[in-house]
Amino acid sequence: GENVEQHPSTLSVQEGDSAVIKCTYSDSASNYFPWYKQELGKGPQLIIDIRSNVGEKKDQRIAVTLNKTAKHFSLHITETQPEDSAVYFCAARGSNTGNQFYFGTGTSLTVIP
Amino acid sequence: KAGVTQTPRYLIKTRGQQVTLSCSPISGHRSVSWYQQTPGQGLQFLFEYFSETQRNKGNFPGRFSGRQFSNSRSEMNVSTLELGDSALYLCASSFWAGVTYEQYFGPGTRLTVT
């Protein structure tokens, strides 16, 4: 099956700086890559996603890039704010695995005011 | 549209007991997946149901089971609870949004086994 690795596991940035979280996947058939934000006591919330036929997608301060050849994708958060502090998960869904999603181990982001 | 709802939100059980958790997906979503989330193992896939049929199953023992009803609501059951079953159990509902298959999570049920 698919294997998703996520780095770093923890990340601290000053408010206003950028944060980058990286994930790699193993199954070249994976074709959909969502990112989730999980705040304390809540379920993961879908914040942005990208399909395998797209190299980059942006939504306000959040962007995701995908390199299919290298099998890695990244989440970029610019102008970070304290409310961005949360755990972020990447995931991959492959066409060979039915509709099952495989998740990274999470990155705990702390934005220091 | 209302989001994914899960009941109960918190549960405390004793080893050896069984537990049933409930999930109502977003209206119109026919697929429901269940995940176990623990600090050590992260998000682990339990199973997925679509139109009352189990479509995928993760690597969990047979003590973990589920079902889906005709209105897409789903339940998962854990029998003979063990201490290691303490976790946040997340339900997610999914649908095809054009060419992407999107998944949305509920708030989870926090299960504590003592």
Side-chain angles (χ1 to χ4, degrees), chain A residues 32 36 38 41-46 49-51 89 93 97-105, chain B residues 9 35 37 43 45 48 55-57 88 90 94 96 99-108:
Chain A
Y32 175 62
Y36 292 86
Q38 187 174 26
K42 299 183 179 180
Q45 177 192 2
L46 177 66
D49 55 18
I50 192 167
R51 289 183 281 125
F89 292 94
R93 173 184 165 267
T97 58
N99 292 321
Q100 186 171 337
F101 285 79
Y102 295 85
F103 286 81
T105 49
Chain B
R9 292 293 312 278
Y35 294 84
Q37 185 177 32
L43 274 158
F45 174 75
E48 180 196 14
R55 191 157 61 173
N56 274 312
K57 189 177 191 304
L88 180 68
L90 292 161
S94 305
W96 281 101
V99 295
T100 57
Y101 192 69
E102 297 183 1
Q103 188 169 82
Y104 296 87
F105 284 88

Side-chain angles (χ1 to χ4, degrees), chain A residues 25 28-33 50-55 66 68:
Chain A
Y25 61 100
S28 56
S30 289
N31 56 15
Y32 175 62
F33 307 91
I50 192 167
R51 289 183 281 125
S52 58
N53 60 347
V54 175
L66 171 66
K68 280 177 55 180

Side-chain angles (χ1 to χ4, degrees), chain A:
Chain A
E2 173 66 277
N3 181 45
V4 177
E5 294 190 356
Q6 183 173 347
H7 300 281
S9 56
T10 60
L11 180 60
S12 289
V13 299
Q14 290 291 136
E15 182 177 357
D17 287 349
S18 296
V20 180
I21 302 170
K22 298 182 180 181
C23 288
T24 61
Y25 61 100
S26 61
D27 186 356
S28 56
S30 289
N31 56 15
Y32 175 62
F33 307 91
W35 285 89
Y36 292 86
K37 173 184 180 182
Q38 187 174 26
E39 297 173 310
L40 205 59
K42 299 183 179 180
Q45 177 192 2
L46 177 66
I47 57 172
I48 196 168
D49 55 18
I50 192 167
R51 289 183 281 125
S52 58
N53 60 347
V54 175
E56 183 174 0
K57 183 177 178 180
K58 191 173 181 181
D59 182 3
Q60 298 181 12
R61 296 185 298 107
I62 295 174
V64 57
T65 59
L66 171 66
N67 183 325
K68 280 177 55 180
T69 304
K71 288 189 279 188
H72 69 69
F73 56 113
S74 300
L75 177 71
H76 304 253
I77 306 174
T78 59
E79 301 172 20
T80 54
Q81 301 167 3
E83 51 265 38
D84 294 329
S85 295
V87 178
Y88 291 82
F89 292 94
C90 63
R93 173 184 165 267
S95 56
N96 287 343
T97 58
N99 292 321
Q100 186 171 337
F101 285 79
Y102 295 85
F103 286 81
T105 49
T107 296
S108 178
L109 173 64
T110 301
V111 179
I112 304 164

Side-chain angles (χ1 to χ4, degrees), chain B:
Chain B
K1 256 186 188 178
V4 179
T5 58
Q6 292 187 244
T7 56
R9 292 293 312 278
Y10 303 91
L11 208 48
I12 300 175
K13 289 286 188 179
T14 305
R15 266 184 309 174
Q17 289 185 315
Q18 75 164 15
V19 67
T20 299
L21 312 181
S22 181
C23 170
S24 291
I26 294 171
S27 177
H29 291 197
R30 295 166 63 190
S31 170
V32 173
S33 298
W34 288 89
Y35 294 84
Q36 181 194 66
Q37 185 177 32
T38 58
Q41 299 296 321
L43 274 158
Q44 291 190 285
F45 174 75
L46 281 156
F47 28 66
E48 180 196 14
Y49 286 86
F50 180 82
S51 292
E52 303 177 65
T53 301
Q54 187 180 88
R55 191 157 61 173
N56 274 312
K57 189 177 191 304
N59 190 25
F60 276 82
R63 299 185 298 107
F64 291 82
S65 63
R67 60 178 176 167
Q68 186 180 32
F69 302 94
S70 58
N71 61 358
S72 295
R73 190 178 69 86
S74 177
E75 290 181 346
M76 69 161 280
N77 183 77
V78 188
S79 61
T80 320
L81 284 165
E82 300 177 359
L83 294 178
D85 297 334
S86 294
L88 180 68
Y89 289 89
L90 292 161
C91 168
S93 75
S94 305
F95 79 117
W96 281 101
V99 295
T100 57
Y101 192 69
E102 297 183 1
Q103 188 169 82
Y104 296 87
F105 284 88
T109 293
R110 173 73 63 185
L111 172 65
T112 302
V113 182
T114 62

